[in-house]
Amino acid sequence: MKSMAAVQNKNILLIEDNEADELLILHALRESETQFFQLTCRKTLQAALDEFSTQDFDLILLDLHLPDYRGLDMIPMLQEKANNTPVIILTGQILGDEQLEAIQRGADDYIVKDHINEGRLVRSIHYALERHEMKKRRDQMFGEVENQKLFFENLLEIHKDAILLVDATGKITYANASAASLMGQPLEQLRGSYFQMALKSDQDVEVEFESNGVKKIAEMKSVKTHWRKNDETTEMHLCMLRDITLRKTTEQSLIELTAELEKQVLLDPLTGVFNRRGFEQQFLHEQNFARRHDVELYGVLVDLDNFKQINDKFSHAVGDVVLKEVAYRIKAVARPIDSIARIGGDEFVILLSQLKYDDALRVAERIRLSICNNEIILSAQQLKITMSAALIKIPPSVTTIEALLIEADPYLQESKKRGKNRVITDRSVLASNQWYEAELLQAFDSFRYGRDIVVLRQPIVDLQTGNEIGYEFLTRSRVKNFETPDLFFNFCMEKNILNLIDMHCFRRCCELSRDILADQTKKIHINLFQSTILSTQIEEFLEIIPSERIRNQYCIEISEQQIIGNPECMIESIQRFKEKDFLIAIDDVGFGRSCLESMIILKPDIVKIDKRCVTGVAHDLAKKRTLKNLIRVLKAVTPQIIAEGIETEDDAKVLLELDIRYGQGYYYAKPY
């Protein structure tokens, strides 16, 4: 998400006649760093419209009940006068379908004044401004496309194709000037000569020929026609040749360039070894190879000793020279099949495949010796470089670079503590370190290896029939003090192992879902964090998911509360899941920081309403009214809605009245 600095110096018009509400809004903005906004307040619609003749505004905050005008008709009036400036509606209460109608009429958001707080209002302003900016860029792009279209149409008019008329004997009876230019012959000589290429009617073919000693490629199409001359009708071939020599050579160059760019995008531009992206691909490949062939895979994490002092003393340019030399030396002693990557400023990692421990240790020591035993000569300076390294056997459960670093970092730290310039492999020496609290270390080790994780499932039910239509799989911890999901996942997030744990949970859920696969009417819902989806390649999920699944049997649930930043960053990852026949659900909608933008951009197949909007709805009229409006908005986004947190029969009946067909909760079954 962009920082709030992105909206600084924006000019905002507040149209509000109630001084108390005006103060409420000013207070909310002031609490949220009002120096970012230039606020103008007007109490009537006419005063606001007059204001546009003297200045422009970036956004309008509009009260629907003004002394001189009321209702949603003000939205198009303002947008027409203000050149479609974004409008956020501020209202005292939601009236019927007014919220949905306001959005349909062009409002960017609809906020109840009682719910205004600094975060909600500023976030809504931020999203409205960003959407408006995106629309401007889109319109500009469309204009550029139209200009390009006109340009190419004119270009085609200027550059005519070669036109030939060939009789049954192959003799060219007519040729235009473009044909003479393409063939490299004078027009008089071309006419009357014989066409040397095979003619195929109504087919586009590519032909090659020489023109003035230069190879030419043309796209040719010929059609049979009848040519009348001197009262005689003769069957002819009308041929059109378009010179595509430049296009074909360009295409070939682009193919070669694309291959080179695809290679370069995986490499560190300074050292020429893999970067993080390239290493992730190699790591997944090596892990799959090791799993299929039952061979060991080792990793060497290298950190240069005292590298910061080199940068500080000799400059970063010298530091770059050192990094390039270190990469060169690692490549010189590593095997051709070893994958080498630079993953940080002075950190490198090497994958050692198809080796036993002793051989892997020898390779790690060779790398260390190649770096420390040869000084680097820089003009009159001689630099002695050493490295600390950790050698680990990579378990099959470690499939990302983050998980690998977590696994290797304790070894690396111990190498530093023991005096640097060494390779450490034995993690047991860390047991005496006081900074590891015993209980946290036990939990850390248990979680990162996927132990003490419990998988439960809760039925998803057809509210009309009571039949189970699927299950949501939920993960919990058995470790003391981490039994609740919030404590469990927050600890993992704090220790930077959330993605690793999320993949452990995903793997366990997939394993336990196999007994449901035979019933193809049942959907299987599994939760994933946004960070896991963004940092993990789709191939790894496909390795875990049961191969016997049918199309759209598995649904990936993403909590809306976990969607951080601009949801557009997830579009590509979500699309890949959909292309591989997964359904996508947005979970926990309707509570906290819900925003329609996430659902509009991500286009989920299913939306799940948060239990806090559902539980007790039968006996809470305000909650029922809010839920009704929420459902109307959601149905405009996605066809299928599931309600969570159904705890009583009365709540289930209310949901059916509100046209909600599916749900889950303790009323039907606790997770088991």
Side-chain angles (χ1 to χ4, degrees):
M1 180 183 293
K2 294 182 179 179
S3 67
M4 287 304 172
V7 296
Q8 61 182 344
N9 300 326
K10 295 297 182 181
N11 201 9
I12 297 178
L13 175 63
L14 171 62
I15 310 175
E16 172 62 70
D17 65 317
N18 187 300
E19 293 185 358
D21 289 342
E22 181 180 329
L23 290 174
L24 173 67
I25 294 165
L26 289 172
H27 176 73
L29 294 177
R30 186 176 297 112
E31 290 295 321
S32 300
E33 305 177 68
T34 53
Q35 65 268 25
F36 291 124
F37 306 104
Q38 178 67 39
L39 196 64
T40 301
C41 301
R42 293 294 177 264
K43 298 185 181 301
T44 66
L45 177 64
Q46 187 57 51
L49 293 174
D50 292 342
E51 196 66 33
F52 285 105
S53 61
T54 61
Q55 61 178 314
D56 295 326
F57 294 94
D58 298 296
L59 184 133
I60 301 169
L61 299 175
L62 173 64
D63 178 33
L64 290 180
H65 300 279
L66 299 173
D68 59 339
Y69 215 100
R70 296 190 174 197
L72 298 175
D73 290 340
M74 290 188 286
I75 298 174
M77 295 171 62
L78 282 167
Q79 289 184 331
E80 181 180 0
K81 185 75 173 179
N83 194 24
N84 292 318
T85 300
V87 177
I88 296 176
I89 299 300
L90 304 175
T91 184
Q93 59 181 346
I94 299 176
L95 300 176
D97 299 335
E98 188 177 71
Q99 182 179 15
L100 179 60
E101 186 179 352
I103 300 297
Q104 292 173 339
R105 286 195 176 209
D108 284 78
D109 206 346
Y110 186 100
I111 304 176
V112 179
K113 295 176 182 177
D114 290 343
H115 296 168
I116 286 179
N117 58 61
E118 59 276 10
R120 174 72 172 89
L121 181 58
V122 171
R123 186 166 57 251
S124 180
I125 291 173
H126 173 69
Y127 287 146
L129 291 171
E130 185 151 313
R131 282 193 295 270
H132 184 65
E133 185 63 29
M134 290 171 61
K135 183 178 182 300
K136 287 172 59 180
R137 291 198 298 267
R138 182 197 64 189
D139 293 343
Q140 181 182 2
M141 181 179 65
F142 285 164
E144 292 175 355
V145 169
E146 287 298 320
N147 290 338
Q148 290 178 2
K149 179 181 176 182
L150 181 60
F151 170 77
F152 283 113
E153 287 177 350
N154 292 334
L155 191 64
L156 289 175
E157 289 296 323
I158 296 170
H159 298 84
K160 300 295 184 180
D161 295 324
I163 305 297
L164 300 173
L165 199 60
V166 182
D167 66 16
T169 66
K171 185 178 180 179
I172 300 174
T173 61
Y174 171 80
N176 65 358
S178 295
S181 175
L182 179 63
M183 299 296 184
Q185 299 181 38
L187 192 59
E188 296 77 11
Q189 181 180 340
L190 183 60
R191 292 175 179 173
S193 64
Y194 285 87
F195 195 61
Q196 302 298 320
M197 306 171 198
L199 298 175
K200 296 182 179 180
S201 296
D202 301 321
Q203 291 186 25
D204 291 332
V205 295
E206 289 183 9
V207 294
E208 296 182 6
F209 53 94
E210 283 195 3
S211 175
N212 293 329
V214 178
K215 179 183 176 181
K216 291 282 188 178
I217 306 174
E219 189 176 70
M220 182 178 72
K221 183 171 184 177
S222 66
V223 294
K224 286 185 177 180
T225 185
H226 291 85
W227 189 265
R228 186 176 180 83
K229 186 177 181 180
N230 298 329
D231 295 327
E232 288 189 13
T233 301
T234 308
E235 187 175 86
M236 295 281 200
H237 279 90
L238 180 62
C239 305
M240 181 179 69
L241 290 94
R242 178 169 298 168
D243 187 356
I244 59 171
T245 306
L246 178 60
R247 191 186 84 190
K248 297 300 288 186
T249 53
T250 302
E251 285 176 353
Q252 184 59 36
S253 298
L254 285 174
I255 291 172
E256 296 171 358
L257 179 60
T258 300
E260 180 63 23
L261 288 175
E262 288 176 348
K263 179 182 177 182
Q264 291 298 325
V265 80
L266 303 177
L267 299 179
D268 174 49
L270 177 63
T271 62
V273 298
F274 285 118
N275 57 20
R276 275 180 170 257
R277 181 176 180 180
F279 180 77
E280 287 277 12
Q281 291 190 11
Q282 289 298 115
F283 190 21
L284 182 61
H285 172 76
E286 293 292 349
Q287 275 288 46
N288 290 337
F289 179 88
R291 189 181 300 116
R292 287 195 304 270
H293 296 86
D294 194 25
V295 296
E296 296 176 349
L297 180 63
Y298 287 88
V300 182
L301 181 62
V302 172
D303 185 276
L304 301 185
D305 297 329
N306 306 316
F307 183 74
K308 184 177 184 299
Q309 296 177 14
I310 296 174
N311 279 335
D312 293 342
K313 183 176 180 180
F314 300 101
S315 80
H316 286 276
V318 173
D320 289 347
V321 173
V322 171
L323 290 172
K324 288 194 284 187
E325 179 64 21
V326 167
Y328 173 79
R329 294 182 181 183
I330 294 175
K331 287 188 287 186
V333 297
R335 301 171 304 159
I337 64 171
D338 296 334
S339 298
I340 306 165
R342 179 182 173 217
I343 57 171
D346 62 334
E347 285 189 329
F348 295 82
V349 64
I350 305 98
L351 288 179
L352 306 177
S353 177
Q354 306 176 52
L355 285 178
K356 296 298 183 182
Y357 169 78
D358 290 343
D359 294 326
L361 183 57
R362 290 189 186 96
V363 173
E365 282 294 334
R366 282 207 310 267
I367 292 171
R368 185 183 68 83
L369 293 172
S370 72
I371 292 175
C372 72
N373 285 357
N374 299 286
E375 293 182 336
I376 297 177
I377 309 300
L378 297 171
S379 186
Q381 297 287 338
Q382 293 184 345
L383 298 180
K384 181 175 177 61
I385 306 298
T386 63
M387 64 165 229
S388 299
L391 171 67
I392 64 168
K393 179 181 177 181
I394 305 174
S397 59
V398 175
T399 54
T400 65
I401 192 169
E402 288 81 7
L404 176 60
L405 295 178
I406 291 169
E407 191 78 12
D409 189 67
Y411 300 69
L412 187 61
Q413 296 304 319
E414 186 63 15
S415 177
K416 297 283 188 184
K417 291 177 183 177
R418 289 194 179 190
K420 306 177 181 178
N421 193 22
R422 66 192 67 231
V423 178
I424 289 293
T425 64
D426 186 4
R427 189 177 186 278
S428 63
V429 297
L430 295 179
S432 61
N433 288 350
Q434 295 181 354
W435 55 275
Y436 262 96
E437 297 181 21
E439 189 175 78
L440 293 181
L441 178 60
Q442 180 183 359
F444 181 80
D445 284 340
S446 180
F447 292 156
R448 71 192 181 118
Y449 288 115
R451 298 192 297 265
D452 294 317
I453 293 175
V454 181
V455 176
L456 306 174
R457 65 185 184 187
Q458 185 176 41
I460 301 172
V461 177
D462 185 326
L463 303 186
Q464 286 186 347
T465 64
N467 295 331
E468 296 177 355
I469 59 122
Y471 300 90
E472 179 181 1
F473 282 77
L474 307 164
T475 51
R476 301 289 185 265
S477 162
R478 276 198 296 253
V479 177
K480 183 180 179 181
N481 298 325
F482 295 98
E483 293 89 345
T484 67
D486 286 344
L487 289 173
F488 174 34
F489 289 114
N490 285 339
F491 174 80
C492 296
M493 187 179 300
E494 180 182 316
K495 296 300 181 183
N496 199 28
I497 57 172
L498 179 62
N499 294 353
L500 174 64
I501 300 308
D502 206 17
M503 290 304 294
H504 282 317
C505 295
F506 181 78
R507 185 177 290 105
R508 191 72 58 82
C509 290
C510 289
E511 291 171 357
L512 296 181
S513 69
R514 290 182 181 277
D515 63 338
I516 304 173
L517 287 175
D519 187 352
Q520 298 183 356
T521 64
K522 299 290 194 298
K523 303 293 185 186
I524 299 168
H525 291 237
I526 300 178
N527 295 272
L528 283 174
F529 283 89
Q530 176 194 20
S531 58
T532 305
I533 292 174
L534 292 176
S535 64
T536 307
Q537 297 186 28
I538 186 66
E539 290 78 11
E540 185 175 348
F541 293 108
L542 296 178
E543 283 280 336
I544 298 171
I545 207 80
S547 59
E548 60 268 30
R549 69 186 175 103
I550 63 170
R551 184 174 183 270
N552 293 341
Q553 191 170 12
Y554 278 79
C555 177
I556 302 300
E557 292 195 11
I558 310 164
S559 172
E560 189 181 49
Q561 307 307 307
Q562 296 295 332
I563 298 178
I564 307 299
N566 192 331
E568 288 185 356
C569 69
M570 295 191 66
I571 292 177
E572 183 177 351
S573 298
I574 294 299
Q575 185 59 34
R576 288 175 181 167
F577 272 100
K578 290 187 175 184
E579 289 172 356
K580 298 300 181 180
D581 298 329
F582 288 87
L583 296 174
I584 298 297
I586 302 295
D587 197 8
D588 303 325
V589 171
F591 191 84
R593 58 185 184 206
S594 294
C595 178
L596 282 174
E597 186 182 32
S598 299
M599 286 166 283
I600 293 172
I601 290 176
L602 299 182
K603 300 177 182 178
D605 305 287
I606 300 168
V607 168
K608 300 187 76 174
I609 299 178
D610 189 272
K611 62 183 179 181
R612 285 163 286 194
C613 297
V614 174
T615 303
V617 68
H619 305 290
D620 188 331
L621 293 179
K623 179 179 284 190
K624 181 178 179 180
R625 186 163 51 248
T626 301
L627 180 59
K628 180 179 180 180
N629 290 326
L630 175 63
I631 291 169
R632 290 182 182 274
V633 173
L634 294 181
K635 282 187 175 294
V637 177
T638 184
Q640 186 168 338
I641 301 173
I642 298 175
E644 295 182 303
I646 305 174
E647 296 188 356
T648 66
E649 182 180 2
D650 291 342
D651 288 347
K653 289 180 178 178
V654 169
L655 290 167
L656 280 172
E657 292 173 5
L658 297 177
D659 199 26
I660 295 297
R661 180 71 182 273
Y662 306 106
Q664 62 189 95
Y666 280 20
Y667 173 66
Y668 296 101
K670 295 182 179 180
Y672 60 90

